[in-house]
Amino acid sequence: MNEPNDTTDPIADDARLSAWLDGELDPSEQGEMDALIAGDLAWSRARDEIASVRDLVRALPDVEPPTGFLESLVAVDDAAPVTDFPVTDLDAVRHRRARRSTGVMAALAVAAALLIAVIVPGVTRTRPALATDVRVHQAGVAASGDPVSGLAPLGAAMRLGR
């Protein structure tokens, strides 16, 4: 016998096994199913599982519906014409929904604008402290012992405004 393949289920959508259990297959299909069940462990396991579930369901007691249940399903009330049911105007519903979503989006935009106005600080105009930057650069060059870096001051490379 073949071992079952756990990664695929060859009988997941196959209704022939149920028909085989009911004896509803024609002789050629019956032979094909007999060969599958005899030659493949997965098919024989599926047959056993389906047969046991079918036996359990068939062993359940009959249940009587509540009194008047079936009559309520088939009863037709001639006194209430079909026009008494509420009719919903879908265009009006769509219009209200669009208006409501537009209002929500506008409120969110206003809230975001207010949040940005409060959180973002004012822009200040500052000038870079070039003299301080030059002194820091010169001190770093002097401490590093590199004589070439000291020849080109930082201030010349940081000219702004041109």
Side-chain angles (χ1 to χ4, degrees), residues 82-97 100:
V82 176
T83 58
D84 288 350
F85 296 106
V87 176
T88 302
D89 183 7
L90 294 179
D91 288 332
V93 171
R94 287 184 190 116
H95 182 67
R96 279 194 305 265
R97 186 178 301 145
R100 187 179 320 133

Side-chain angles (χ1 to χ4, degrees), residues 106-116:
L108 287 174
V110 168
L114 289 174
L115 189 64
I116 289 172

Side-chain angles (χ1 to χ4, degrees), residues 46-135:
R47 177 210 48 211
D48 295 341
E49 290 173 2
I50 292 172
S52 66
V53 170
R54 292 162 62 95
D55 292 341
L56 289 172
V57 170
R58 289 181 177 155
L60 291 172
D62 291 336
V63 177
E64 289 296 322
T67 306
F69 176 74
L70 296 176
E71 292 79 14
S72 69
L73 291 177
V74 295
V76 176
D77 186 10
D78 293 331
V82 176
T83 58
D84 288 350
F85 296 106
V87 176
T88 302
D89 183 7
L90 294 179
D91 288 332
V93 171
R94 287 184 190 116
H95 182 67
R96 279 194 305 265
R97 186 178 301 145
R99 195 170 2 134
R100 187 179 320 133
S101 63
T102 303
V104 168
M105 294 301 286
L108 287 174
V110 168
L114 289 174
L115 189 64
I116 289 172
V118 170
I119 290 178
V120 175
V123 177
T124 58
R125 303 278 181 199
T126 60
R127 304 182 113 208
L130 289 179
T132 304
D133 290 341
V134 170
R135 281 193 301 271

Side-chain angles (χ1 to χ4, degrees), residues 139-146 149:
V141 167
S144 70
D146 182 16
S149 297

